[in-house]
Amino acid sequence: MSTPTRTPRKKLTKHAGPRHDHLKRHGPVKVHTQIDYVTVNAEDVIVYVDSQGKPVSTTTVHRNQPPPTSPPAPPPSPSPAPNPLPQPQPQPQPQPQPQPQPQPQPAPAPAPAPAPAPGPDKPSTGGPVSSGPGFKSGVSYTPYNADNSCKSRQQVATDFTKISGYDVVRLYGTDCDQVSNALAATKGSNVKFFLGIFDIAQVQKEAETISNAVKGDWSRVNAVSVGNEMVNKGTDPGTVIGAIGQARGALKGHGYNGPIVMVDTMVAMTNHPEICKASDFCAINCHAFFDGKTPAEKSGEFIKGWVDKIGKATGKTVVVTETGWPTRGDTNGVAVPSQQNHQAAMKSIQGAFSNNVIFYSAYNDMWKKNGQGTFNAEQYWGIMGNAPSA
């Protein structure tokens, strides 16, 4: 409830001439009251009213006799509509018909309240809400051939014939027409996309590319990320946060009102929670394999520990945007790449999480370069091995 505002009392200004101020009285004051009764003969006027109590005509009656000497009857108690008893019929002259009073029509029924404007997480198209966190399963996909060339629309369509059973597919950027190709490949399905603006120096351009691809139908978009592991690679957190704000403005201008986040490693997000707080939810890449102290069958427990820690520190929902286990590569402590351990890790993660996890990745990324820094396993994280379009 709001508190009334007290208006300050104005200071009186002195004027020359008469004063009307209420001055303080000095001494007692005597009051004399004199009442004069006057009797006057007046004409009677009868007022005719309609059923609503509104006057419609009047009649004047001349009185010749003096009024009775007995005290007048007390006035009738007020009633909603003073109807004469019985209500007189119009005399000789036809009583003017009351103008068709604008029948107390119910005040123009207020036009149905307009539907509420879309909120921070409702696309303006009126389609399903971009859901953000809450999806049951997800997987990542990249549209590149082994020689780093772009896959054609037909190749992307071929790859998606085997990507099934996932609610969300994560794309990292907008090059190679990947957004429009992936949308076309999944047309008619319930798959949503976790899209990405990869180059934070090209936010406006990539936002426009995404907008052109969705053609105003944002119902297929689960969320949009800005950059991938930028702080982990050395970018200043303030620069990334600025890019998130820029992306939010650019995408809103194209009609998107769903979640926008910055994705980084669990360590970078822990050290810089401000990135998470600037996002609509926390998005982390978390791989137990790189820990070196966690075996495949403990992957779920390892990842959940980080999710709980970051969620508690930021007060936000945490979505794991990358996790998995390589099938080939070099051993990292107790973490051993193999098909068997890949399956053990997947089972462990699925046992620890019922939602909000995107597995990395649908197919082996043969376009990447292996190196000692990634234990020569960079190419071999594919859940379904090599892509059918390879």
Side-chain angles (χ1 to χ4, degrees):
M1 179 180 293
S2 60
T3 304
T5 304
R6 183 183 298 277
T7 304
R9 185 182 302 277
K10 295 182 179 178
K11 182 177 180 182
L12 293 175
T13 305
K14 292 184 178 181
H15 298 275
R19 292 285 301 272
H20 298 285
D21 299 339
H22 294 279
L23 303 177
K24 182 177 180 181
R25 293 178 177 176
H26 298 278
V29 177
K30 293 182 180 181
V31 177
H32 298 275
T33 303
Q34 178 176 323
I35 300 175
D36 294 327
Y37 292 93
V38 179
T39 301
V40 178
N41 290 335
E43 299 170 344
D44 289 339
V45 177
I46 298 176
V47 180
Y48 297 94
V49 297
D50 60 16
S51 59
Q52 301 297 321
K54 296 181 179 179
V56 295
S57 67
T58 61
T59 299
T60 302
V61 178
H62 300 278
R63 301 191 52 159
N64 297 321
Q65 298 91 355
T69 56
S70 56
S77 56
S79 61
N83 288 322
L85 262 181
Q87 181 161 358
Q89 295 298 322
Q91 301 271 354
Q93 56 202 27
Q95 175 179 327
Q97 286 290 328
Q99 287 292 344
Q101 297 285 356
Q103 210 52 335
Q105 302 194 16
D121 21 42
K122 291 185 181 179
S124 58
T125 60
V129 176
S130 295
S131 52
F135 59 88
K136 291 185 178 180
S137 59
V139 69
S140 64
Y141 173 78
T142 55
Y144 311 114
N145 291 306
D147 62 358
N148 267 275
S149 62
C150 295
K151 288 188 175 183
S152 67
R153 175 166 287 212
Q154 183 55 53
Q155 284 180 294
V156 172
T158 298
D159 288 346
F160 270 91
T161 59
K162 287 194 172 184
I163 300 176
S164 61
Y166 296 98
D167 299 324
V168 169
V169 175
R170 181 184 178 191
L171 303 179
Y172 291 80
T174 59
D175 58 335
C176 298
D177 292 327
Q178 59 181 292
V179 179
S180 58
N181 288 346
L183 286 169
T186 56
K187 187 176 181 180
S189 73
N190 292 322
V191 172
K192 291 191 177 187
F193 288 89
F194 192 116
L195 300 179
I197 292 175
F198 191 78
D199 185 353
I200 64 173
Q202 299 290 330
V203 170
Q204 294 286 350
K205 181 180 178 182
E206 292 204 40
E208 185 173 356
T209 300
I210 291 174
S211 176
N212 291 338
V214 301
K215 295 180 170 63
D217 180 11
W218 293 98
S219 65
R220 300 285 307 281
V221 180
N222 173 271
V224 178
S225 65
V226 182
N228 185 62
E229 300 186 0
M230 299 299 296
V231 173
N232 184 60
K233 295 171 186 173
T235 302
D236 180 74
T239 300
V240 174
I241 292 172
I244 293 173
Q246 188 181 2
R248 190 169 278 124
L251 289 168
K252 186 174 182 180
H254 289 294
Y256 176 68
N257 294 297
I260 297 176
V261 301
M262 186 272 170
V263 176
D264 219 308
T265 64
M266 70 282 194
V267 175
M269 200 68 75
T270 300
N271 293 337
H272 298 282
E274 65 271 24
I275 301 170
C276 177
K277 292 177 181 178
S279 302
D280 290 315
F281 57 85
C282 297
I284 64 170
N285 293 344
C286 188
H287 298 282
F289 174 77
F290 292 116
D291 176 56
K293 300 175 183 177
T294 303
E297 62 273 16
K298 295 290 186 181
S299 293
E301 182 180 329
F302 173 85
I303 298 165
K304 193 169 189 315
W306 280 102
V307 167
D308 291 346
K309 180 179 180 179
I310 294 171
K312 184 177 180 180
T314 61
K316 288 196 171 186
T317 298
V318 180
V319 172
V320 179
T321 46
E322 268 189 22
T323 194
W325 197 272
T327 57
R328 293 175 59 181
D330 300 333
T331 296
N332 175 27
V334 300
V336 181
S338 73
Q339 185 63 47
Q340 182 179 353
N341 284 340
H342 170 85
Q343 293 173 350
M346 293 287 289
K347 182 178 179 180
S348 174
I349 296 167
Q350 290 169 333
F353 295 90
S354 60
N355 58 18
N356 295 337
V357 171
I358 297 175
F359 287 103
Y360 177 81
S361 69
Y363 302 110
N364 288 333
D365 289 319
M366 303 311 292
W367 57 275
K368 289 188 175 182
K369 299 293 183 184
N370 286 325
Q372 292 183 348
T374 56
F375 303 93
N376 290 306
E378 190 71 1
Q379 296 176 334
Y380 307 114
W381 292 72
I383 294 171
M384 294 174 281
N386 291 333
S389 66

